[in-house]
Amino acid sequence: MRHSRRGFTGLMLALAAGLRASPSALAAPLSSRPIRLVVPFGAGGVADLVARSVAQKMSESMGQSIVIDNKPGAGGVVASDTVAKAPPDGHTLLLMSNGNAVSVGLFKSLPYDTLKDFAPVSTLGYFDMAVLAANDSRFKSFADLVAHAKAHPGKLNIGTINVGSTQNLAGELLKTSLGIDAQVVPFNGTPAVVTALRGGQVDVAVEILSPVLSQIEGKALRALAVMGEKRSPSLPDVPTVAESGTPGFQVASWNALAAPAKTPPDVIARLNQEARKALDSPEVRKRLQNLGVEPRGSTPQEQARLLDSEIRRWSGVIQRAGIPKQ
């Protein structure tokens, strides 16, 4: 009997050790104070809706409120600086984007170090981007566009939103990848780009798919190619740029969660667990997919590698395009 009791005690100790080593046990609880999620975009945009969709599900799971704090401006610098200087306790988070990577190459200086002053939590989603033409354009395919650009150097105009935006830099990258002489023309916002495209002021445009999807479906615009690694579920008949003769070309916009640097690893583990659980829920997945966003979580390490590679990539594009630092 004594031997049996010693065995039972050993089993309990082993189970306790196993629980301590499990991900859920490692994921530390946070205090009941609300979590502030700082979003560097205005309310109602796609990135804001992604943040709200994920935050709502995380809030339900964690049993505490997550408050969205929209702080647009200065290419995301204002929001990022707010989080970089917040206490590293898991109660202030940043909706990070590829804009954070672009800013490193675009600004002469930043009030924070993008790689050192944030603790990655998880990616949230990827946004498809597309090369667009007006529906009555001479370009019926991406091959038509490339052939025209090569036959008429310097004559093609590519419309995008503001200088230094991901769309603008994707247009610059497209030029160099195709080896064409073309002009990338910036406009103040997607509506202005679409108006210029439909009015013939630009030949084609590069834009995130979600805000123009209804115009593609309504036959006002035509998607010549999508810029991701695979075809968009929203436009399964539209080829990728890589499929269309430019192997290896891949551009996507993305969002992620980050906390201030020095946030304890167990708190990061808890937040990562909750974010990925939210992304796995059918209702959040459907909501994001309806926005044209591919839900995709990651480990903190994977997010850190993504950020590092994006900084190097876009800094190179900015330098080659001769875009002056702001």
Side-chain angles (χ1 to χ4, degrees):
M1 184 69 177
R2 192 177 297 120
H3 176 77
S4 174
R5 187 166 294 171
R6 281 199 301 270
F8 178 80
T9 302
L11 176 62
M12 289 298 99
L13 289 172
L15 286 172
L19 284 173
R20 284 196 298 270
S22 71
S24 59
L26 287 172
L30 279 73
S31 79
S32 59
R33 287 188 294 116
I35 295 172
R36 178 168 63 144
L37 174 51
V38 184
V39 176
F41 305 98
V46 178
D48 174 70
L49 295 174
V50 169
R52 291 176 187 274
S53 298
V54 174
Q56 180 182 345
K57 197 65 179 178
M58 288 177 66
S59 176
E60 293 170 3
S61 175
M62 298 172 75
Q64 65 189 110
S65 62
I66 300 179
V67 179
I68 303 297
D69 183 4
N70 296 96
K71 284 186 178 295
V77 174
V78 174
S80 300
D81 190 43
T82 298
V83 176
K85 292 177 170 58
D89 56 9
H91 287 275
T92 306
L93 303 176
L94 173 67
L95 184 75
M96 187 172 271
S97 74
N98 43 316
N100 290 91
V102 168
S103 295
V104 176
L106 190 63
F107 290 94
K108 293 176 182 177
S109 64
L110 293 169
Y112 49 82
D113 186 309
T114 304
L115 287 174
K116 294 180 180 178
D117 289 343
F118 299 98
V121 174
S122 173
T123 57
L124 299 181
Y126 287 75
F127 302 67
D128 280 318
M129 298 177 68
V131 182
L132 306 165
N135 202 51
D136 58 359
S137 167
R138 75 180 81 186
F139 305 132
K140 306 306 179 187
S141 68
F142 190 74
D144 290 345
L145 162 65
V146 176
H148 176 83
K150 292 188 174 181
H152 302 88
K155 299 297 184 182
L156 185 77
N157 292 321
I158 304 172
T160 73
I161 64 168
N162 315 68
V163 171
S165 64
T166 302
Q167 295 93 314
N168 180 257
L169 297 180
E172 295 287 355
L173 182 61
L174 187 67
K175 277 174 48 180
T176 57
S177 299
L178 294 174
I180 60 174
D181 180 5
Q183 301 298 317
V184 177
V185 183
F187 292 86
N188 187 23
T190 301
V193 174
V194 171
T195 298
L197 183 59
R198 296 183 63 178
Q201 283 79 49
V202 293
D203 301 296
V204 294
V206 172
E207 184 52 279
I208 290 173
L209 192 54
S210 51
V212 296
L213 188 57
S214 62
Q215 298 206 47
I216 296 170
E217 293 171 341
K219 306 299 183 184
L221 300 178
R222 177 185 296 116
L224 302 178
V226 293
M227 304 180 99
E229 63 179 338
K230 58 187 178 183
R231 296 190 181 198
S232 169
S234 302
L235 298 172
D237 295 330
V238 177
T240 65
V241 171
E243 285 180 291
S244 303
T246 312
F249 187 94
Q250 178 187 334
V251 177
S253 187
W254 50 268
N255 286 149
L257 284 182
K262 299 183 180 179
T263 300
D266 55 352
V267 173
I268 294 295
R270 172 73 190 281
L271 292 168
N272 175 270
Q273 173 185 303
E274 296 292 347
R276 295 176 78 172
K277 188 193 301 181
L279 291 169
D280 285 340
S281 69
E283 59 267 41
V284 171
R285 293 191 69 81
K286 183 177 180 181
R287 199 173 303 150
L288 266 55
Q289 288 165 349
N290 288 342
L291 292 170
V293 179
E294 178 194 356
R296 195 193 310 175
S298 73
T299 65
Q301 294 78 15
E302 288 167 339
Q303 184 189 330
R305 288 194 292 271
L306 171 67
L307 180 61
D308 180 65
S309 66
E310 290 280 88
I311 287 173
R312 288 186 278 106
R313 177 191 210 184
W314 294 122
S315 293
V317 172
I318 290 167
Q319 186 175 12
R320 290 191 298 273
I323 297 173
K325 287 182 178 283
Q326 300 178 20

